[in-house]
Amino acid sequence: MKLEKTWFYTFAQRVAWCFYTLIFRAKARGLENFPKDQNCILYGNHISAWDPLTIAHFYRINEIHFMAKESLFRVPVLRAIVKGLHAFPVNRGSSDMAAMRTAMQVLREGHVLGIFPEGTRQQGGPVTNIETGVAVLALKSKVPLIPVLVGGKYTFFGRIRAVVGEAVPLDDLREKRTDAETLDEVKRRIIDGLETLRPMLGF
C-alpha cells in the first residue's frame, strides 16, 4: 500500500471532522475491518453527495481515490477541489472504459479506491442492483473489497451512522471464467456485503 499525506486532503478531513462530530453526530462500527497494511476497494451505498466524505471521515489509514460523476469536473473551481481530493471522473450509466482503466491504475499503484456500485444516489432503501463494471473491477483487482453501509440524515443532529463489514469473499470466483454467471454471483455478494450490515445501523 502506498501511504499518502497531502495537505489539501488533510485539511478537508479536518474540516469534515467538525461537521461529522458536532453537527451530524456521526458514529461508526466495524472500523477494525479496514485493512491496515494493504490497499483495498472501499464501496458503499449512495444516499447523499456527502457519502464520500463520510467514508473518508472514518477511514483514517490512508487517503482515498474516489470515482466521481463526470459532471463535477465541468466547473473549474469544483474540478480543482475534487481533483485535489484524488477523485477521477466516470460517465454514469455507460461503460466508461477510461474510468475503469484509471481505477485499475489507482490500485496497481497501491492506492485505496472508493466506489459507489449503484452508480447513482438512491433513497436509502435496500441495495438491489449494481453496475456490472464494478463486478469486473472487483474480480480483476485482486485486492480486498470492503463494504461500508451508511445511514441516517445529513441534517443538524441527524445521527449519521456507518457500519464497516468484512472483506467480500471473492477468491473462489477469481479462479473462474469471467462470464455472465460469475459476474452475477459477484454482484450478489457485493450487495449481500452491504445488506447484511443494515440491521447494525441502529446503534
Side-chain angles (χ1 to χ4, degrees):
M1 178 167 63
K2 182 177 181 179
L3 292 174
E4 295 182 275
K5 191 73 171 180
T6 59
W7 74 268
F8 188 70
Y9 193 104
T10 301
F11 171 76
Q13 208 166 37
R14 288 175 178 173
V15 172
W17 182 90
C18 298
F19 281 92
Y20 281 91
T21 303
L22 304 177
I23 297 177
F24 295 150
R25 296 193 297 179
K27 294 181 180 180
R29 297 176 66 177
L31 297 180
E32 68 277 4
N33 291 319
F34 285 137
K36 303 295 190 298
D37 56 0
Q38 68 179 122
N39 67 322
C40 60
I41 298 174
L42 303 177
Y43 79 96
N45 59 320
H46 203 9
I47 60 175
S48 167
W50 284 90
D51 296 332
L53 289 175
T54 300
I55 295 177
H57 172 69
F58 290 116
Y59 179 78
R60 298 301 184 94
I61 300 168
N62 206 352
E63 299 184 357
I64 308 171
H65 294 239
F66 275 103
M67 189 181 289
K69 62 181 181 179
E70 185 271 338
S71 60
L72 294 177
F73 295 81
R74 297 176 191 169
V75 182
V77 174
L78 193 55
R79 179 173 65 243
I81 292 173
V82 295
K83 289 184 72 174
L85 297 174
H86 308 311
F88 61 94
V90 59
N91 283 307
R92 300 184 304 186
S94 65
S95 298
D96 190 339
M97 296 308 298
M100 289 288 288
R101 287 192 293 270
T102 300
M104 287 300 298
Q105 184 66 25
V106 164
L107 294 169
R108 279 195 296 268
E109 292 176 354
H111 302 297
V112 175
L113 177 68
I115 56 175
F116 296 97
E118 294 170 282
T120 188
R121 292 197 296 271
Q122 305 296 333
Q123 297 301 314
V127 176
T128 59
N129 187 48
I130 65 171
E131 298 288 333
T132 299
V134 174
V136 174
L137 182 64
L139 281 180
K140 299 295 185 182
S141 63
K142 298 182 180 180
V143 299
L145 187 67
I146 308 297
V148 184
L149 187 71
V150 177
K153 295 185 181 298
Y154 291 98
T155 59
F156 279 95
F157 311 119
R159 294 175 58 84
I160 291 298
R161 296 291 182 264
V163 182
V164 183
E166 296 181 354
V168 177
L170 294 176
D171 286 346
D172 60 319
L173 299 179
R174 286 168 175 152
E175 298 174 356
K176 296 183 177 182
R177 289 179 52 192
T178 308
D179 55 19
E181 183 179 354
T182 300
L183 291 175
D184 284 345
E185 177 61 17
V186 174
K187 289 195 282 186
R188 185 190 68 78
R189 293 188 190 184
I190 290 174
I191 291 172
D192 285 351
L194 288 172
E195 288 306 312
T196 55
L197 304 176
R198 197 169 293 277
M200 305 178 200
L201 274 179
F203 66 94

